[in-house]
């Protein structure tokens, strides 16, 4: 792959945020170029083998899920964490049929679990991590909660890198590119604590019967503006380096995943920045992770070649996302009175009042959890735990498949 070198890197304490890098060519020929980084296919492939892709899914169109799963490069292990309905129709069962079919045809490694499986709640309780459980000891709803399950399973398989891909993407080819972009980011990084975040060049929308290639969504533009403002007021130098505040498509090293805190639901992505600023930025009071502070945390922001076309989920979803994002900024240790009052101006439209935005629930780091034990508990008890890998003995589902009953998306 040929990818632009970052023109500038913002250094904030131990955190390095690289300016946006564009993909020049998805493959390349090794020509010398002082402005670009040429990453060989062999280097990318060696990362893919150590990368797990987590796909959080909640009641998405099965055609879209099918395309997404087929597009993820073969060398990656795919971990699907579903929070889809089980009644009145068992949507999750249909998802498992999609997954099993792709595994049977390709032999790619897949792992699948349902977020609300009571055994997932019990396993979290057993390993001493109750923070994402509700009163009945089930895992709460929320994408972030699903992502935590996925990260632990990736760690249990000994993966060094974890990437996320949404299940509602209309264009399988773009999903393939995202994963290659993640791998390229890890090839360029110089620290075990690295995050790669993707930026869309365009997010196409249908406007008056035509596709319009829109550059910015309202939520992203607002989130990025405030994250940059936090940096600017702290350093005294204005910056616009952050362009990926809401990047659902992102990847991180397992080492970094272990020391992050996670905000609940959709505020998880902007909170990555807020947490890193608060914990590893300038003027930190207490150093909790000296290894990471010494090695540094690197954030790559890569602009994809493919546009991002996904399911549109309506205005109330957009408001929820904006509220979650702005609330993380409001409650950041770096936020001063000036930023707070500017935030309240923006929030009044959503909240219909001048109230302080409610703080998001934040879950502590998962690095201390015995992930192998967690996965073993699920493997032996959870009804929805499925691990399809090379040595899986012929399962009943496979035998059914061999009889010719392959999945047809409905
Ligand atoms: P957006 O693309 O950021 O607007 O958000 P989406 O609504 O598309 O959600 C991103 C991904 O998370 C999709 O694949 C959803 O199906 C999935 N998702 C949403 N809520 C949950 C949840 O509660 N649990 C899990 N496991 N996945 C979820
Ligand atoms: Co989406």
């Amino acid at each position: 792959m040929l990818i632009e070198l970052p023109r500038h890197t913002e250094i904030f304490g131990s955190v390095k945020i690289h300016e946006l890098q564009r993909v020049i060519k998805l493959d390349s020929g090794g020509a010398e170029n002082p402005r670009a980084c040429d990453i060989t296919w062999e280097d990318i492939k060696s990362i893919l083998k150590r990368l797990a892709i987590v796909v959080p899914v909640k009641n998405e169109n099965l055609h879209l899920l099918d395309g997404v799963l087929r597009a993820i490069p073969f060398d990656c292990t795919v971990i699907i964490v579903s929070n889809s309905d089980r009644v009145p129709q068992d949507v999750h069962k249909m998802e498992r049929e999609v997954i099993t079919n792709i595994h049977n045809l390709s032999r790619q490694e897949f792992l699948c679990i349902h977020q609300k499986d009571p055994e997932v709640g019990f396993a979290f309780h057993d390993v001493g991590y109750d923070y994402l459980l509700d009163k009945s000891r089930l895992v709460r709803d929320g994408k972030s909660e699903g992502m935590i399950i996925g990260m632990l399973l990736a760690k249990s398989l000994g993966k060094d890198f974890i990437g996320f891909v949404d299940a509602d993407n209309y264009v399988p080819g773009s999903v393939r590119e995202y994963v290659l972009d993640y791998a390229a980011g890890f090839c360029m990084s110089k620290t075990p604590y690295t995050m790669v975040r993707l930026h869309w060049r365009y997010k196409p929308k249908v406007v008056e019967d035509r596709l319009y290639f829109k550059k910015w969504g309202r939520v992203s533009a607002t989130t990025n503006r405030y994250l940059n403002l936090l940096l600017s007021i702290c350093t005294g130098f204005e910056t616009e380096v952050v362009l990926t505040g809401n990047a659902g498509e992102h990847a991180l090293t397992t080492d970094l995943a272990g020391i992050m805190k996670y905000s609940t639901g959709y505020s998880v992505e902007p909170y990555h920045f807020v947490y890193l600023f608060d914990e590893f930025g300038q003027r930190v009071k207490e150093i909790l992770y000296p290894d990471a502070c010494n090695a540094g945390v690197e954030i790559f922001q890569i602009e994809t070649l493919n546009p991002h076309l996904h399911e549109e989920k309506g205005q109330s979803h957009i408001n929820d996302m904006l509220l979650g994002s702005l609330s993380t900024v409001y409650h950041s240790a770096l936020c001063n009175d000036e930023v707070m009052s500017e935030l309240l101006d923006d929030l009044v439209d959503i909240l219909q009042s001048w109230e302080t935005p409610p703080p998001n629930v934040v879950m502590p780091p998962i690095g201390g959890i015995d992930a192998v034990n967690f996965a073993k508990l699920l493997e032996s008890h959870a009804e929805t735990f499925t691990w399809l890998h090379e040595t899986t003995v012929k399962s009943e589902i496979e035998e059914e498949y061999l009889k010719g009953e392959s999945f047809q998306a409905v």
Side-chain angles (χ1 to χ4, degrees):
M1 180 181 298
L2 198 60
I3 193 159
E4 264 180 2
L5 287 169
R7 263 169 295 181
H8 173 71
T9 297
E10 199 76 50
I11 298 175
F12 187 63
S14 307
V15 187
K16 281 185 180 170
I17 309 170
H18 299 296
E19 250 185 22
L20 191 71
Q21 296 169 259
R22 281 185 310 170
V23 171
I24 301 170
K25 287 278 300 174
L26 280 174
D27 55 8
S28 56
E32 287 287 317
N33 183 338
R35 282 168 45 216
C37 180
D38 194 317
I39 302 163
T40 66
W41 176 240
E42 287 71 32
D43 285 347
I44 288 190
K45 208 152 155 94
S46 70
I47 300 278
L48 296 180
K49 291 195 171 81
R50 299 156 63 200
L51 170 65
I53 295 294
V54 174
V55 184
V57 56
K58 187 174 180 185
N59 298 328
E60 300 294 354
N61 181 322
L62 290 178
H63 279 289
L64 301 189
L65 176 70
D66 185 54
V68 166
L69 297 182
R70 288 207 240 171
I72 297 170
F74 177 82
D75 289 303
C76 306
T77 299
V78 185
I79 300 173
I80 298 101
V81 184
S82 170
N83 190 16
S84 300
D85 295 344
R86 310 222 53 195
V87 283
Q89 222 181 5
D90 195 347
V91 178
H92 180 56
K93 181 163 178 274
M94 298 182 222
E95 291 165 353
R96 291 154 73 90
E97 283 167 14
V98 174
I99 296 160
T100 308
N101 184 45
I102 302 173
H103 169 77
N104 286 337
L105 294 171
S106 67
R107 296 283 145 188
Q108 182 164 15
E109 184 176 20
F110 284 91
L111 220 149
C112 176
I113 186 81
H114 196 276
Q115 188 164 334
K116 295 282 182 194
D117 190 317
E119 294 297 337
V120 179
F122 291 141
F124 272 113
H125 186 71
D126 279 5
V127 297
Y129 193 91
D130 280 355
Y131 309 97
L132 37 57
L133 304 184
D134 62 18
K135 286 198 189 85
S136 51
R137 286 211 187 155
L138 290 178
V139 173
R140 281 192 302 265
D141 286 329
K143 182 177 93 148
S144 173
E145 285 72 2
M147 289 164 68
I148 289 181
I149 301 172
M151 287 190 277
L152 284 174
L153 292 176
K155 190 180 166 196
S156 78
L157 294 173
K159 297 289 175 176
D160 297 315
F161 309 103
I162 306 164
F164 297 94
V165 163
D166 287 351
D168 63 339
N169 197 313
Y170 280 106
V171 186
S174 70
V175 173
R176 175 174 157 77
E177 185 204 337
Y178 302 161
V179 179
L180 300 183
D181 294 345
Y182 295 157
F186 293 124
C187 287
M188 292 184 286
S189 91
K190 298 194 171 58
T191 156
Y193 301 93
T194 295
M195 181 177 273
V196 185
R197 305 172 73 93
L198 301 187
H199 175 261
W200 327 121
R201 191 142 165 214
Y202 300 112
K203 236 175 156 167
K205 298 231 177 313
V206 177
V207 179
E208 292 182 2
D209 297 340
R210 271 183 74 199
L211 260 191
Y212 175 69
F213 286 79
K214 204 168 167 352
K215 232 175 144 39
W216 284 108
R218 183 165 71 102
V219 179
S220 319
T222 313
T223 308
N224 293 334
R225 183 161 64 83
Y226 279 107
L227 289 171
N228 284 314
L229 199 56
L230 281 186
L231 280 179
S232 306
I233 52 163
C234 212
T235 60
F237 288 84
E238 198 167 311
T239 179
E240 292 182 350
V241 71
V242 175
L243 288 174
T244 55
N246 289 102
E249 260 72 17
H250 66 273
L252 72 180
T253 55
T254 308
D255 286 338
L256 181 59
I259 60 171
M260 295 291 293
K261 285 185 186 167
Y262 298 98
S263 185
T264 190
Y266 287 105
S267 52
V268 57
E269 285 96 6
Y271 184 72
H272 288 146
F273 277 111
V274 171
Y275 172 73
L276 290 173
F277 295 169
D278 285 353
E279 203 65 53
F280 298 96
Q282 271 176 14
R283 304 186 209 156
V284 285
K285 291 197 187 81
E286 197 189 352
I287 297 203
L288 289 179
Y289 301 101
D291 285 354
C293 279
N294 290 335
V297 176
E298 259 187 295
I299 303 178
F300 291 90
Q301 306 183 96
I302 299 181
E303 184 177 89
T304 64
L305 195 60
N306 278 281
H308 188 60
L309 247 171
H310 70 146
E311 285 266 276
E312 288 300 330
K313 306 231 162 81
Q315 191 60 40
S316 87
H317 173 66
I318 290 178
N319 284 347
D320 281 354
M321 281 188 73
L322 196 54
L323 178 59
S325 296
L326 297 189
S327 178
T328 59
V329 175
Y330 189 94
H331 294 282
S332 158
L334 302 182
C335 193
N336 65 7
D337 291 346
E338 198 185 316
V339 181
M340 279 184 187
S341 76
E342 226 180 296
L343 273 166
L344 290 179
D345 279 350
D346 269 325
L347 279 167
V348 74
D349 292 344
I350 311 171
L351 290 173
Q352 301 291 320
S353 82
W354 291 95
E355 278 167 43
T356 305
N360 295 300
V361 173
V362 171
M363 295 168 279
I366 56 172
I369 300 177
D370 181 346
V372 172
N373 184 29
F374 176 79
K376 273 193 187 141
L377 287 169
L378 297 188
E379 192 175 10
S380 46
H381 301 298
E383 173 241 331
T384 64
F385 181 91
T386 313
W387 184 22
L388 302 167
H389 54 111
E390 199 43 49
T391 53
T392 310
V393 281
K394 267 190 192 140
S395 61
E396 280 170 39
I397 302 173
E398 190 176 355
E399 277 174 3
E400 241 174 68
Y401 165 76
L402 289 173
K403 276 190 260 157
E405 292 173 34
S406 71
F407 164 80
Q408 287 293 311
V410 280

Tab-separated table of all heavy atoms in Angstrom, residues 30-59:
chain	number	residue	atom	x	y	z
A	30	GLY	N	6.730	-0.318	-4.709
A	30	GLY	CA	8.010	-0.165	-4.012
A	30	GLY	C	8.878	0.965	-4.539
A	30	GLY	O	10.074	1.002	-4.251
A	31	ALA	N	8.283	1.917	-5.286
A	31	ALA	CA	9.090	3.033	-5.796
A	31	ALA	C	9.462	3.977	-4.651
A	31	ALA	O	8.693	4.155	-3.716
A	31	ALA	CB	8.302	3.786	-6.860
A	32	GLU	N	10.653	4.582	-4.753
A	32	GLU	CA	11.098	5.540	-3.730
A	32	GLU	C	10.244	6.804	-3.814
A	32	GLU	O	9.990	7.311	-4.904
A	32	GLU	CB	12.554	5.935	-4.003
A	32	GLU	CG	13.559	4.840	-3.670
A	32	GLU	CD	13.721	4.660	-2.171
A	32	GLU	OE1	13.799	5.677	-1.461
A	32	GLU	OE2	13.765	3.488	-1.719
A	33	ASN	N	9.765	7.295	-2.672
A	33	ASN	CA	8.969	8.510	-2.667
A	33	ASN	C	9.103	9.158	-1.293
A	33	ASN	O	8.678	8.584	-0.297
A	33	ASN	CB	7.506	8.139	-2.957
A	33	ASN	CG	6.625	9.352	-3.051
A	33	ASN	OD1	6.955	10.422	-2.531
A	33	ASN	ND2	5.508	9.204	-3.726
A	34	PRO	N	9.728	10.345	-1.240
A	34	PRO	CA	9.980	10.950	0.079
A	34	PRO	C	8.709	11.367	0.812
A	34	PRO	O	8.732	11.590	2.020
A	34	PRO	CB	10.841	12.182	-0.253
A	34	PRO	CG	10.552	12.485	-1.680
A	34	PRO	CD	10.223	11.179	-2.350
A	35	ARG	N	7.575	11.487	0.095
A	35	ARG	CA	6.347	11.967	0.756
A	35	ARG	C	5.396	10.850	1.130
A	35	ARG	O	4.329	11.086	1.673
A	35	ARG	CB	5.649	12.976	-0.153
A	35	ARG	CG	6.339	14.338	-0.097
A	35	ARG	CD	5.874	15.276	-1.169
A	35	ARG	NE	4.440	15.289	-1.331
A	35	ARG	CZ	3.838	15.423	-2.510
A	35	ARG	NH1	4.544	15.528	-3.603
A	35	ARG	NH2	2.525	15.444	-2.586
A	36	ALA	N	5.786	9.607	0.781
A	36	ALA	CA	4.849	8.509	1.030
A	36	ALA	C	5.554	7.303	1.634
A	36	ALA	O	6.764	7.153	1.512
A	36	ALA	CB	4.173	8.112	-0.277
A	37	CYS	N	4.756	6.505	2.287
A	37	CYS	CA	5.293	5.302	2.921
A	37	CYS	C	4.792	4.111	2.084
A	37	CYS	O	3.594	3.992	1.826
A	37	CYS	CB	4.737	5.260	4.335
A	37	CYS	SG	5.267	3.875	5.274
A	38	ASP	N	5.719	3.282	1.653
A	38	ASP	CA	5.341	2.125	0.841
A	38	ASP	C	5.337	0.894	1.736
A	38	ASP	O	6.367	0.521	2.279
A	38	ASP	CB	6.338	1.976	-0.314
A	38	ASP	CG	5.810	1.014	-1.362
A	38	ASP	OD1	5.279	-0.040	-0.989
A	38	ASP	OD2	5.929	1.330	-2.564
A	39	ILE	N	4.194	0.292	1.898
A	39	ILE	CA	4.092	-0.861	2.800
A	39	ILE	C	3.838	-2.104	1.960
A	39	ILE	O	2.880	-2.142	1.176
A	39	ILE	CB	2.957	-0.640	3.823
A	39	ILE	CG1	3.228	0.652	4.602
A	39	ILE	CG2	2.854	-1.818	4.788
A	39	ILE	CD1	2.041	1.197	5.323
A	40	THR	N	4.691	-3.087	2.117
A	40	THR	CA	4.580	-4.260	1.242
A	40	THR	C	3.406	-5.144	1.676
A	40	THR	O	2.981	-5.127	2.842
A	40	THR	CB	5.862	-5.122	1.281
A	40	THR	OG1	5.969	-5.676	2.604
A	40	THR	CG2	7.104	-4.312	0.940
A	41	TRP	N	2.940	-5.941	0.740
A	41	TRP	CA	1.844	-6.858	1.017
A	41	TRP	C	2.261	-7.870	2.083
A	41	TRP	O	1.472	-8.235	2.952
A	41	TRP	CB	1.407	-7.537	-0.280
A	41	TRP	CG	0.347	-8.575	-0.086
A	41	TRP	CD1	0.429	-9.888	-0.400
A	41	TRP	CD2	-0.964	-8.394	0.496
A	41	TRP	NE1	-0.742	-10.539	-0.057
A	41	TRP	CE2	-1.608	-9.643	0.488
A	41	TRP	CE3	-1.644	-7.290	1.026
A	41	TRP	CZ2	-2.897	-9.825	0.999
A	41	TRP	CZ3	-2.930	-7.485	1.533
A	41	TRP	CH2	-3.547	-8.740	1.511
A	42	GLU	N	3.519	-8.273	2.057
A	42	GLU	CA	3.997	-9.251	3.057
A	42	GLU	C	3.891	-8.654	4.457
A	42	GLU	O	3.481	-9.327	5.402
A	42	GLU	CB	5.468	-9.658	2.795
A	42	GLU	CG	5.689	-10.563	1.601
A	42	GLU	CD	5.473	-9.844	0.264
A	42	GLU	OE1	5.750	-8.622	0.190
A	42	GLU	OE2	4.991	-10.499	-0.684
A	43	ASP	N	4.271	-7.375	4.584
A	43	ASP	CA	4.194	-6.730	5.908
A	43	ASP	C	2.735	-6.624	6.368
A	43	ASP	O	2.417	-6.856	7.537
A	43	ASP	CB	4.818	-5.324	5.869
A	43	ASP	CG	6.345	-5.400	5.818
A	43	ASP	OD1	6.885	-6.504	6.062
A	43	ASP	OD2	6.979	-4.371	5.525
A	44	ILE	N	1.864	-6.287	5.436
A	44	ILE	CA	0.439	-6.180	5.795
A	44	ILE	C	-0.083	-7.554	6.217
A	44	ILE	O	-0.746	-7.707	7.239
A	44	ILE	CB	-0.372	-5.595	4.618
A	44	ILE	CG1	-0.007	-4.117	4.509
A	44	ILE	CG2	-1.880	-5.803	4.807
A	44	ILE	CD1	-0.833	-3.289	3.601
A	45	LYS	N	0.282	-8.553	5.451
A	45	LYS	CA	-0.209	-9.906	5.731
A	45	LYS	C	0.281	-10.399	7.104
A	45	LYS	O	-0.460	-11.076	7.827
A	45	LYS	CB	0.269	-10.838	4.615
A	45	LYS	CG	-0.652	-12.010	4.415
A	45	LYS	CD	-0.650	-12.543	3.005
A	45	LYS	CE	-1.073	-13.999	3.019
A	45	LYS	NZ	-2.490	-14.222	2.802
A	46	SER	N	1.493	-10.028	7.458
A	46	SER	CA	1.987	-10.503	8.755
A	46	SER	C	1.203	-9.861	9.906
A	46	SER	O	1.061	-10.447	10.978
A	46	SER	CB	3.492	-10.270	8.894
A	46	SER	OG	3.723	-8.903	9.020
A	47	ILE	N	0.699	-8.658	9.681
A	47	ILE	CA	-0.164	-8.025	10.705
A	47	ILE	C	-1.537	-8.706	10.719
A	47	ILE	O	-2.096	-8.997	11.784
A	47	ILE	CB	-0.349	-6.513	10.429
A	47	ILE	CG1	0.982	-5.771	10.430
A	47	ILE	CG2	-1.357	-5.894	11.412
A	47	ILE	CD1	1.529	-5.379	11.767
A	48	LEU	N	-2.093	-8.980	9.530
A	48	LEU	CA	-3.450	-9.537	9.461
A	48	LEU	C	-3.564	-10.824	10.286
A	48	LEU	O	-4.573	-11.074	10.941
A	48	LEU	CB	-3.860	-9.829	8.009
A	48	LEU	CG	-3.964	-8.618	7.068
A	48	LEU	CD1	-4.368	-9.069	5.668
A	48	LEU	CD2	-4.944	-7.582	7.599
A	49	LYS	N	-2.498	-11.601	10.280
A	49	LYS	CA	-2.520	-12.874	11.026
A	49	LYS	C	-2.613	-12.643	12.532
A	49	LYS	O	-3.035	-13.526	13.269
A	49	LYS	CB	-1.240	-13.663	10.734
A	49	LYS	CG	-1.160	-14.182	9.314
A	49	LYS	CD	-0.061	-15.240	9.211
A	49	LYS	CE	-0.098	-15.921	7.871
A	49	LYS	NZ	0.549	-15.197	6.794
A	50	ARG	N	-2.167	-11.470	12.965
A	50	ARG	CA	-2.185	-11.175	14.416
A	50	ARG	C	-3.345	-10.248	14.780
A	50	ARG	O	-3.388	-9.695	15.870
A	50	ARG	CB	-0.855	-10.526	14.805
A	50	ARG	CG	0.344	-11.446	14.545
A	50	ARG	CD	1.632	-10.642	14.356
A	50	ARG	NE	1.997	-9.897	15.538
A	50	ARG	CZ	2.824	-8.837	15.534
A	50	ARG	NH1	3.360	-8.414	14.411
A	50	ARG	NH2	3.110	-8.215	16.653
A	51	LEU	N	-4.271	-10.075	13.841
A	51	LEU	CA	-5.368	-9.104	14.019
A	51	LEU	C	-6.724	-9.803	14.131
A	51	LEU	O	-7.043	-10.672	13.318
A	51	LEU	CB	-5.353	-8.155	12.806
A	51	LEU	CG	-6.501	-7.176	12.582
A	51	LEU	CD1	-6.581	-6.129	13.692
A	51	LEU	CD2	-6.319	-6.439	11.242
A	52	ALA	N	-7.484	-9.434	15.142
A	52	ALA	CA	-8.878	-9.903	15.221
A	52	ALA	C	-9.781	-8.734	14.853
A	52	ALA	O	-9.556	-7.603	15.294
A	52	ALA	CB	-9.202	-10.371	16.630
A	53	ILE	N	-10.781	-9.017	14.031
A	53	ILE	CA	-11.755	-7.976	13.689
A	53	ILE	C	-13.047	-8.256	14.449
A	53	ILE	O	-13.637	-9.328	14.325
A	53	ILE	CB	-12.026	-7.950	12.169
A	53	ILE	CG1	-10.764	-7.546	11.401
A	53	ILE	CG2	-13.180	-7.001	11.840
A	53	ILE	CD1	-10.286	-6.121	11.651
A	54	VAL	N	-13.446	-7.282	15.257
A	54	VAL	CA	-14.674	-7.413	16.046
A	54	VAL	C	-15.803	-6.708	15.290
A	54	VAL	O	-15.663	-5.550	14.886
A	54	VAL	CB	-14.487	-6.783	17.446
A	54	VAL	CG1	-15.793	-6.790	18.219
A	54	VAL	CG2	-13.381	-7.504	18.213
A	55	VAL	N	-16.894	-7.429	15.095
A	55	VAL	CA	-18.059	-6.845	14.416
A	55	VAL	C	-19.211	-6.782	15.413
A	55	VAL	O	-19.822	-7.806	15.730
A	55	VAL	CB	-18.477	-7.701	13.188
A	55	VAL	CG1	-19.620	-7.020	12.429
A	55	VAL	CG2	-17.298	-7.961	12.266
A	56	PRO	N	-19.517	-5.576	15.953
A	56	PRO	CA	-20.699	-5.468	16.811
A	56	PRO	C	-21.932	-5.419	15.925
A	56	PRO	O	-21.924	-4.734	14.896
A	56	PRO	CB	-20.489	-4.148	17.559
A	56	PRO	CG	-19.536	-3.361	16.739
A	56	PRO	CD	-18.824	-4.289	15.791
A	57	VAL	N	-22.968	-6.133	16.286
A	57	VAL	CA	-24.151	-6.133	15.424
A	57	VAL	C	-25.432	-6.150	16.246
A	57	VAL	O	-25.532	-6.876	17.235
A	57	VAL	CB	-24.103	-7.312	14.412
A	57	VAL	CG1	-23.959	-8.649	15.099
A	57	VAL	CG2	-25.335	-7.337	13.516
A	58	LYS	N	-26.375	-5.306	15.829
A	58	LYS	CA	-27.675	-5.301	16.486
A	58	LYS	C	-28.756	-5.134	15.420
A	58	LYS	O	-28.937	-4.037	14.879
A	58	LYS	CB	-27.756	-4.168	17.508
A	58	LYS	CG	-29.025	-4.222	18.326
A	58	LYS	CD	-29.018	-3.195	19.423
A	58	LYS	CE	-30.301	-3.294	20.204
A	58	LYS	NZ	-30.409	-2.253	21.209
A	59	ASN	N	-29.417	-6.228	15.124
A	59	ASN	CA	-30.557	-6.225	14.191
A	59	ASN	C	-30.264	-5.543	12.862
A	59	ASN	O	-31.076	-4.761	12.375
A	59	ASN	CB	-31.766	-5.544	14.842
A	59	ASN	CG	-32.226	-6.282	16.080
A	59	ASN	OD1	-32.111	-7.510	16.152
A	59	ASN	ND2	-32.724	-5.552	17.054
